[in-house]
């Protein structure tokens, strides 16, 4: 260990409460900056990528600082604004900086420690003493300098080659070393150019004469000149192959003859090139008034809420605001709740802003995310407008001017697992404040919290847009009483006669239809008629859902699946019956009712691929599909021009949910899905099938009465002490042992009760109390407005630490979820 008086504090990508200190040389101290990555040893064998948080000269008291392995960056990849945001998130959402580092950085930046197997050069090895499987590994290492564990598993054709590796280590045949490897590889595109020797006409003439016996190669050179004359850009090998109809080998032959020279250029994996940039649309009078109101409210407030009915043209107002920010040379972050929305929005924004747009979400590959990260970090022209899902708040902006949070009420903005359990909307407001930038929240059905902050607390500015674009009428909403329809035998499957009638009329007039059912699969419960048994998941306390397209029963919590049984597993009876229905069953029934019609389904099962959203949305937009059946994905701000009818198959499953937000969420979902209908000059129609048409929420949906829903919900929140009046922190205890969780939760609730008295609810088992063989028990803490949030969190952390210091409770996982909504 060298004597050093220079140290760095680093964030490791693991959930540690404190930062670790490492020793560095004076030269390293002069080179390193906050936000750079370093490779550091941690524990006995591991090497991690860590991020420099601080450079100082304070010697750690509790332990001797280890040296770092190497510096991985020349420039910081994380800036000071991000560091400040991470520290706020760590404190507010009660998580560690390591949790945030792992969530924020594309994992290609977090170099991994991979075990490398190499031959021991210091030992003389007698291969005759080796067993057959050991000799296979030894022989492979004669040909290759090193092998990974997974390579050895493949050579031995075994799932686990570790016992053999251990034997070889004992015999001193091999040694093991840890190696850091970089995951990100820039995309290189192969180009060709003509060798400079042939720049004179004589040499060129000579070349053509030598190629008379090789007509294909001659054709390639002619194609090269054709491409060269039509485009001034470098010539890609792929373009030359296409133009000359040659093979890659034939081009390689010309390279080998030194006629063509090949070279590689780094390129972006995702780019939104648009040669023709159209002017933004002129706003109508209502949109102009709204835009002026927003600009006015931004003079006195940093956050504004745009409450605009569905199809009122909110996006065009956003575009005008983005234009003004781009003219100031600043960056814009445009958050959307679902990846599904990005494909439609990209094409709209691309038409206005060309290749100034970057898109960032989880369906992008590691390398694509790294490229967007680097563009944002370097304030590149290719990332002036970043369109993305919730993780985009972690991007390294350096000159942010505006954040737009579209559909701000959406639940998908909240991260539930793993930590950090942050809310992207609230984090975006804090991020904007760091830059003294503005935040615009937009929604047709704002969350009760945001509307409360705008109307009651006056914390946010408020602008409203109450008419649809081009004065299109709001859709007509009709409630269909399916209890009455069943009595009168007017149901076919899950379709009432009214819905079939309206669907027939819409299809006859060549309109499209959306059918909404908020449950995927074919049927959520399979039940035996004889004994009443229903197949359950072996890992979770939940029934298995039947998926017809794979003929299997699947758990939607842990992914456990079994083939659909022909007989009851309990009594052997073959009388198995479906209870309830999902999108698959609706799709099947539609095909029976309307055999000539094209039907598509949009749920988690059909949108697993990278471009699957785009494919379904595009085919529906281009009218290749007549009826789209979907879960809540179809409710999210999508703009379909030809939808006349929307059918909500069963509104009651939304309303009867054990959650204080169930009614607010039901209203939002139904209003949003209704908003997909009649977005052009023909008035849309929405049919809501329900067993209880007199339910208050359904009445409010049918009259588009957001305000009465808001005030009614606010009254309930006052009475029962829920957000936005009180804040919530949910504590979940998790363990495989039922009794251990029970005892731990009782101890925790008692300790919290001594501090917070009547504001502690629970402990209670949630409706689904066992997931992935772990029992869950919840405790809810309500925090009144006049109570210090900081001191409350300090008290909770103190109790959590006391809890984990008890030997019996140490194995229990304690999860803290701040603002659990």
């Amino acid at each position: 260990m060298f004597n050093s008086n220079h140290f760095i504090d680093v964030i490791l990508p693991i959930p540690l409460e404190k930062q670790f200190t490492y020793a560095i040389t004076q030269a390293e101290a002069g080179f390193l900056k906050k936000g750079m990555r370093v490779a550091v040893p941690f524990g006995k064998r591991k090497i991690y990528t860590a991020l420099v948080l601080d450079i100082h000269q304070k010697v750690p008291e509790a332990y001797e600082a280890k040296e770092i392995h190497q510096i991985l960056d020349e420039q910081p990849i994380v800036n000071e604004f991000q560091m400040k945001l991470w520290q706020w998130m760590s404190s507010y959402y009660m998580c560690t900086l390591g949790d945030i580092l792992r969530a924020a950085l594309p994992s290609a930046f977090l170099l991994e420690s991979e075990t490398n197997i190499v031959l021991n050069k210091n030992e003389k090895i007698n291969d005759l003493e080796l067993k057959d499987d050991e000799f296979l590994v030894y022989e492979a290492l004669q040909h290759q300098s090193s092998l990974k564990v997974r390579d050895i598993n493949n050579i031995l054709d075994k799932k686990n080659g570790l016992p053999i590796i251990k034997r070889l280590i004992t015999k001193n045949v091999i040694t093991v070393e840890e190696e850091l490897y970089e995951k990100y590889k820039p995309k290189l595109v192969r180009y060709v150019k003509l060798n400079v020797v042939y720049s004179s006409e004589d040499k060129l003439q000579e070349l053509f004469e030598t190629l008379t016996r090789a007509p294909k190669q001659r054709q390639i050179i002619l194609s090269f000149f054709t491409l060269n004359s039509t485009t001034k850009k470098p010539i890609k090998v792929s373009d030359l192959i296409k133009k000359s109809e040659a093979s890659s080998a034939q081009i390689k032959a010309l390279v080998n003859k030194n006629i063509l020279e090949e070279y590689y250029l780094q390129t972006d994996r995702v780019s939104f090139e648009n040669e023709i940039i159209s002017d933004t649309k002129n706003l109508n009078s209502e949109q102009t008034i709204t835009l002026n109101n927003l600009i006015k409210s931004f003079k006195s407030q940093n956050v504004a809420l745009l409450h605009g009915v569905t199809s009122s043209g909110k996006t065009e107002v956003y575009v005008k605001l983005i234009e003004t920010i781009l003219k100031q040379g600043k960056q814009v972050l445009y958050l959307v709740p679902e990846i599904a929305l990005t494909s439609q929005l990209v094409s709209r924004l691309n038409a206005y802003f060309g290749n100034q747009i970057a898109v960032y979400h989880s369906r992008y590959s590691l390398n694509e995310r790294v490229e967007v990260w680097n563009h944002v970090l370097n304030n590149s022209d290719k990332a002036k407008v970043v369109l993305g899902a919730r993780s985009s708040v972690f991007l390294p902006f350096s000159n942010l001017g505006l954040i737009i949070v579209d559909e701000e009420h959406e639940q998908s903005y909240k991260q539930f697992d793993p930590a950090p359990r942050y809310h992207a909307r609230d984090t975006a407001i804090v991020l904007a404040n760091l830059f003294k930038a503005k935040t615009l929240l937009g929604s047709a059905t704002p969350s009760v919290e945001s509307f409360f902050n705008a109307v009651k607390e006056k914390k946010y500015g408020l602008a409203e847009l109450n008419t649809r674009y081009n004065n299109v009428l709001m859709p007509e909403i009709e409630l269909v009483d399916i209890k009455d329809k069943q009595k009168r035998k007017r149901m076919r499957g899950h379709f009432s006669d009214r819905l079939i009638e309206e669907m027939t009329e819409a299809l006859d007039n060549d309109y499209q239809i959306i059918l909404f059912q908020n449950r995927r699969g074919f049927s959520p419960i399979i039940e035996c008629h004889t004994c009443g048994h229903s197949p359950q998941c072996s890992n979770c306390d939940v029934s298995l859902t039947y998926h017809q397209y794979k003929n299997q029963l699947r758990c939607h919590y842990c992914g456990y699946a079994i083939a659909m049984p022909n007989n009851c597993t309990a009594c052997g009876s073959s009388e198995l019956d479906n209870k309830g229905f999902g999108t698959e069953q609706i799709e099947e029934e539609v095909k029976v009712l309307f055999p000539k019609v094209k039907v598509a389904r949009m749920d988690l099962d059909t949108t697993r691929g990278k471009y699957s959203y785009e494919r379904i949305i595009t085919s529906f937009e281009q009218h290749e599909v007549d009826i789209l059946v979907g879960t809540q994905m179809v409710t999210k701000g999508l703009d379909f021009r030809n939808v006349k009818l929307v059918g909500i198959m069963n509104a009651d499953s939304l309303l009867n949910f054990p959650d204080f937000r169930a009614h607010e969420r039901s209203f939002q979902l139904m209003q949003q899905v209704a908003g997909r209908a009649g977005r052009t000059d023909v008035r849309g129609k929405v049919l809501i099938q329900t067993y209880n048409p007199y339910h208050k929420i359904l009445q409010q949906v049918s009259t588009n009465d957001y305000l009465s829903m808001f005030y009614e919900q606010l009254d309930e929140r006052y009475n029962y002490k829920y957000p936005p009046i009180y804040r919530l922190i949910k504590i979940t205890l998790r363990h495989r042992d039922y009794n251990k969780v029970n005892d731990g939760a009782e101890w925790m609730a008692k300790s919290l009760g001594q501090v917070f008295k009547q504001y502690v609810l629970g402990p209670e088992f949630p409706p689904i109390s066992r997931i992935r063989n772990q029992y869950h028990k919840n405790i809810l803490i309500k925090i009144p407005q006049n109570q210090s949030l900081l001191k409350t969190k300090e008290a909770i952390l103190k109790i959590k630490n006391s809890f984990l210091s008890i030997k019996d409770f140490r194995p229990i996982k304690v999860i803290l979820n701040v603002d659990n909504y």
Side-chain angles (χ1 to χ4, degrees), residues 160-217:
N160 184 10
L162 287 176
I164 294 138
I165 295 168
K166 279 179 184 167
R167 290 205 307 263
L168 286 166
I169 292 170
T170 313
K171 291 178 180 179
N172 284 328
V173 175
I174 60 172
T175 57
V176 170
E177 60 183 37
E178 292 281 317
E179 176 198 56
L180 279 171
Y181 72 96
E182 182 86 59
K183 280 185 186 168
Y184 169 63
K185 290 186 177 70
K187 185 182 179 186
L188 298 173
V189 174
R190 195 166 148 230
Y191 290 86
V192 283
K193 60 184 178 185
L194 196 63
N195 193 321
V196 286
V197 175
Y198 302 106
S199 49
S200 70
E201 271 189 44
D202 299 344
K203 287 283 181 190
L204 205 56
Q205 191 64 39
E206 214 176 285
L207 172 65
F208 278 115
E209 281 167 14
T210 56
L211 290 177
T212 45
R213 288 183 185 175
K216 199 68 216 177
Q217 290 181 2

Side-chain angles (χ1 to χ4, degrees), residues 184-189 191 236 265-273 355-359 364-365 367-376 378 380-383 610-611:
Y184 169 63
K185 290 186 177 70
K187 185 182 179 186
L188 298 173
V189 174
Y191 290 86
K236 291 181 191 171
L265 290 179
Q266 190 175 325
T267 183
D268 287 342
R269 286 173 168 80
V270 181
S271 62
F272 301 102
E273 299 292 336
N355 61 354
Q356 290 181 291
I357 296 170
V359 177
Y364 269 13
S365 70
N367 292 332
E368 286 167 351
R369 274 184 273 174
V370 169
E371 278 165 10
V372 175
W373 183 281
N374 288 333
H375 284 319
V376 176
N378 301 325
S380 151
D381 285 344
K382 290 184 175 179
K610 184 172 173 182
Y611 298 110

Side-chain angles (χ1 to χ4, degrees), residues 731-748 774-777 800 803-815:
I731 301 172
T732 303
L733 282 78
R734 228 161 53 183
H735 194 265
R736 295 174 79 88
D737 185 328
Y738 177 88
N739 292 324
K740 199 164 258 187
V741 169
N742 239 346
D743 297 344
E746 286 301 329
W747 187 97
M748 176 83 85
Q774 300 241 332
Y775 288 95
H776 293 224
K777 205 156 193 187
K800 180 192 168 187
F803 177 84
L804 294 175
S805 65
I806 299 167
K807 191 175 171 227
D808 284 354
F809 297 154
R810 211 167 290 148
I812 298 173
K813 189 164 172 58
V814 179
I815 294 159

Side-chain angles (χ1 to χ4, degrees), residues 516-527:
F516 168 70
Q517 170 60 8
N518 208 24
R519 198 184 274 278
R520 63 192 169 102
F522 188 86
S523 169
I525 298 170
I526 298 291
E527 193 178 80

